[in-house]
Amino acid sequence: MRTLEEQIDVTTPVDRTWELLHRFADYPRFVDGVVRATPHGRNRARLDVEICGVRRAVDAEIVDHGRGRVMTWELVDGVHLRGTFALRPLDGARTQVQLRLEYDPDTLREDIGGPRGFAQSHTVEEAVRTDLEHFKEVVERPPTRR
């Protein structure tokens, strides 16, 4: 099992940042490969993903760990990925977003393809960094009025 930890500071209050993490419909805006995401039951989300040209649906189980602003998710349909988001308020207007991703390189390659060894680790790291940068862009945009 491999573990990757990344973090990014965003210029939004912790409550707004937390809210975006729970708006699954917005996931395609910042998670590469997610085409559509919808709530599915109380603690699940259905993700339509496209990886290496193959489209499929996977379910993620989501667990909130209360007031500590920690959310854990795990894919339950084959792909062996588990992640934890932890939000830490830096002040009233800024939040640190920490992501811990756990994956098994062998089963990840079997499930979605791609490179092996160091190249795979590098690919996963780059994808996570890019997704966090996209998350920052989305969460820092002013909310649209409805």
Side-chain angles (χ1 to χ4, degrees):
M1 194 66 91
R2 291 236 171 99
T3 301
L4 171 64
E5 294 182 9
E6 292 287 336
Q7 64 188 31
I8 194 166
D9 294 349
V10 297
T11 309
T12 55
V14 70
D15 290 340
R16 177 166 156 71
T17 309
W18 185 248
E19 179 185 315
L20 181 61
L21 278 177
H22 288 81
R23 283 195 316 235
F24 302 115
D26 284 333
Y27 277 36
R29 295 174 62 197
F30 59 86
V31 181
D32 188 39
V34 174
V35 178
R36 189 172 80 135
T38 55
H40 180 64
R42 182 173 165 91
N43 294 320
R44 288 192 179 209
R46 167 83 30 100
L47 307 173
D48 293 330
V49 298
E50 187 171 322
I51 301 171
C52 299
V54 177
R55 192 167 178 168
R56 64 191 257 194
V58 294
D59 283 342
E61 184 172 5
I62 294 111
V63 178
D64 285 341
H65 298 282
R67 304 179 96 177
R69 302 285 196 220
V70 175
M71 178 195 349
T72 302
W73 57 268
E74 183 169 3
L75 297 185
V76 294
D77 291 344
V79 179
H80 298 288
L81 289 173
R82 176 185 166 96
T84 301
F85 285 103
L87 305 183
R88 193 176 119 231
L90 299 173
D91 57 36
R94 296 180 309 129
T95 303
Q96 183 176 76
V97 179
Q98 300 171 328
L99 171 63
R100 177 185 175 102
L101 183 69
E102 299 171 14
Y103 66 98
D104 180 342
D106 294 331
T107 57
L108 185 64
R109 186 174 190 304
E110 289 170 16
D111 291 336
I112 65 171
R116 292 180 185 258
F118 177 76
Q120 181 191 49
S121 295
H122 181 72
T123 300
V124 170
E125 288 173 15
E126 286 300 313
V128 167
R129 286 187 193 115
T130 299
D131 289 350
L132 284 174
E133 286 293 332
H134 289 150
F135 179 81
K136 177 181 175 73
E137 292 168 9
V138 170
V139 77
E140 288 181 347
R141 280 191 198 125
T144 57
R145 295 191 179 240
R146 294 181 183 186

